[in-house]
Amino acid sequence: IYLLTVIYGGMVVRGRLEKKTNRIVEVIISSVKPIQLMMGKIIGVALVGLTQFLLWVVLTIAIYSGVMNVMFHGQTQQEKMQTMMKANPGMQANAAMMQKMQGQEPNMADKINDVMESINIPLIIGMFIFYFLGGYLLYSALFAAIGAAADSETDTQQFMFPVTIPLILAYVAAVNVIENPQGHVAFWF
């Protein structure tokens, strides 16, 4: 989310600066309000970011499905039945008991499948979209203001650093939070 926010926020700054230096804005402003122009740029770039995220989700699902098909391709009918029982969350305990009763240890594919099924994918996707849009809309509005205030690319770099300090600080703090989620850094951030 950090990288996407900075990359797409930078696109807003560069687009705003390009229109300003080429004097395109003077022609465009004669037909639209400045707020419409800014919102069009911000929403357009946000849709590009969400499209990229959607492609990541689709490709990840396709790769996961392909790998699982390859791993389960040579299974017997009984093994396929056990795998299908594992796919149903209510039947997972029964499938594990059946394997223990039959003296079989779960193989690597079963372990991977169990881990993947324990992840709440819709929640993760929803939270990513929520936090990406929230962060992107905040920072792209700030970056658009910087693009409007600056006259050259070097000026924008000077103005962008103070705006990105909270992003960088949060990214650095995340390393400590991952190592110690119950610590003081996690609490205060």
Side-chain angles (χ1 to χ4, degrees), residues 66-135:
V67 167
M68 294 311 280
N69 283 338
V70 167
M71 291 177 126
F72 292 137
H73 182 66
Q75 289 184 338
T76 64
Q77 188 63 27
Q78 182 182 8
E79 290 172 334
K80 286 182 183 178
M81 268 308 257
Q82 290 174 353
T83 304
M84 287 192 305
M85 287 178 65
K86 283 184 146 188
N88 186 352
M91 299 291 245
Q92 283 183 347
N94 292 341
M97 288 178 97
M98 280 180 55
Q99 283 183 346
K100 285 181 183 177
M101 288 172 54
Q102 293 173 355
Q104 297 176 353
E105 281 294 316
N107 62 12
M108 184 61 101
D110 291 337
K111 290 178 184 178
I112 292 171
N113 201 18
D114 288 344
V115 169
M116 291 303 292
E117 287 174 358
S118 69
I119 298 172
N120 191 352
I121 302 288
L123 177 68
I124 291 174
I125 291 172
M127 289 291 104
F128 180 89
I129 291 171
F130 175 76
Y131 286 117
F132 169 72
L133 285 178

Side-chain angles (χ1 to χ4, degrees), residues 4 6-7 10 25 42 50 114 118 135 138-139 144 147 154 157 180:
L4 291 177
V6 171
I7 288 170
V25 166
I42 290 172
L50 288 176
D114 288 344
S118 69
L138 172 70
Y139 278 96
T154 56
Q157 296 303 320
N180 186 11

Side-chain angles (χ1 to χ4, degrees), residues 55-72:
L55 286 173
W56 287 346
V57 170
V58 168
L59 289 175
T60 302
I61 290 170
I63 290 170
Y64 174 73
S65 298
V67 167
M68 294 311 280
N69 283 338
V70 167
M71 291 177 126
F72 292 137

Side-chain angles (χ1 to χ4, degrees), residues 177 180-189:
V177 169
N180 186 11
Q182 302 299 324
H184 295 293
V185 175
F187 175 78
W188 289 107
F189 273 88

Side-chain angles (χ1 to χ4, degrees), residues 140-161:
S140 64
L142 293 171
F143 289 157
I146 289 169
D151 290 330
S152 68
E153 187 76 30
T154 56
D155 291 343
T156 60
Q157 296 303 320
Q158 292 173 0
F159 292 134
M160 281 177 61
F161 182 69

